[in-house]
Structures are given as C-alpha cells and as structure tokens.
C-alpha cells in the first residue's frame, strides 16, 4: 500500500532492514521501523537511493513518523550534501516528534516543515520541486 495519494507516480518501493522507502517521480517517502536506531549506515542507504532516482532532478523527502525510533540528528549534515534535495517534510501527530523536530531542523538547516498529514506534506514538497509555471 502506498504511503501517499495515488495521484503521485510510484516508481519503486525499497524494503530495507530499517524500514521502507517509497520512490515517486519527484519525492521519496520513508517509514522507519519501530525501535530502530537510525544512524549513518541508514542515511547512507537513503542517499544511495536518492542518487539513483534523483541525480539530475529536484526532489523532496517525506519522513512518515508512524513508529517510535531513535534518530541521530548528525545524519542531516550528509543530507545537506544532496544538491537536488529541496526540502524535508516530517509527518506526525506525536508530541515527542514535534519536540524532536526543532532539534532536527536545527541540524538540517535547510527547508524542513512539520505536518499533521501526508497530503499537505506532499503538496508542500511539490511547491518546492515543481517549476512555478507547472504547479
């Protein structure tokens, strides 16, 4: 089952040991498994996927926070090195994730927003990656 609306073109689903990454035409959605300690090894896999699918085009990333897991915020410095990554959307209703978001945004330093649902997160990503005359 796709994490986002069927109006987006699903290209591939990666089922990894730490969670799933769904790749669409101009965005990726990540769902990390419960209890994972998300670290540099995991972010490397995400960067590899981004380089395969988005090496020559702008894209956004949606972190769909359905599960409880630990995240090393220093991984964001590696994401900043992806030249075509235009923004990260965090989707969660959990109060703890809202607190963590402030820390994550500080470490990332680029466009990052917190959303309550994946539809508004997807729309925001589209506003960042689509040329102004196509939206």
């Amino acid at each position: 089952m796709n994490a986002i609306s069927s109006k987006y073109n699903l290209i591939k689903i990666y089922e990894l040991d730490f969670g799933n990454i769904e790749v669409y035409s101009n965005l990726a959605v990540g769902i990390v498994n419960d209890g994972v300690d998300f670290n540099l090894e995991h972010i490397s896999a995400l960067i590899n996927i981004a380089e395969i699918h988005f090496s020559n085009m702008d894209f956004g990333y949606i972190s769909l926070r359905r599960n409880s897991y630990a995240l090393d915020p220093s991984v964001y410095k590696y994401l900043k090195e992806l030249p075509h990554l235009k923004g990260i959307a965090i989707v969660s209703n959990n109060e703890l994730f809202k607190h963590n978001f402030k820390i994550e945004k500080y470490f990332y330093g680029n466009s990052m927003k917190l959303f309550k649902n994946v539809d508004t997160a997807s729309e925001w990503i589209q506003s960042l990656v689509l040329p102004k005359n196509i939206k």
Side-chain angles (χ1 to χ4, degrees), residues 10-63:
L10 177 64
I11 295 180
K12 184 165 184 167
I13 298 175
Y14 290 88
E15 295 180 1
L16 306 169
D17 62 336
F18 62 87
N20 292 346
I21 306 294
E22 296 182 2
V23 176
Y24 296 84
S25 56
N26 61 4
L27 62 93
V29 178
I31 304 169
V32 176
N33 295 334
D34 198 45
V36 168
D37 183 10
F38 196 84
N39 56 36
L40 181 57
E41 177 185 339
H42 303 118
I43 207 69
S44 294
L46 181 60
I47 289 169
N48 287 338
I49 291 169
E51 289 174 343
I52 290 167
H53 294 280
F54 307 111
S55 63
N56 295 314
M57 64 181 294
D58 292 345
F59 75 103
Y61 180 75
I62 298 174
S63 176

Side-chain angles (χ1 to χ4, degrees), residues 66 83 88 94 96 119:
R66 292 181 175 164
I88 297 175
N94 183 310
L96 178 60
D119 292 330

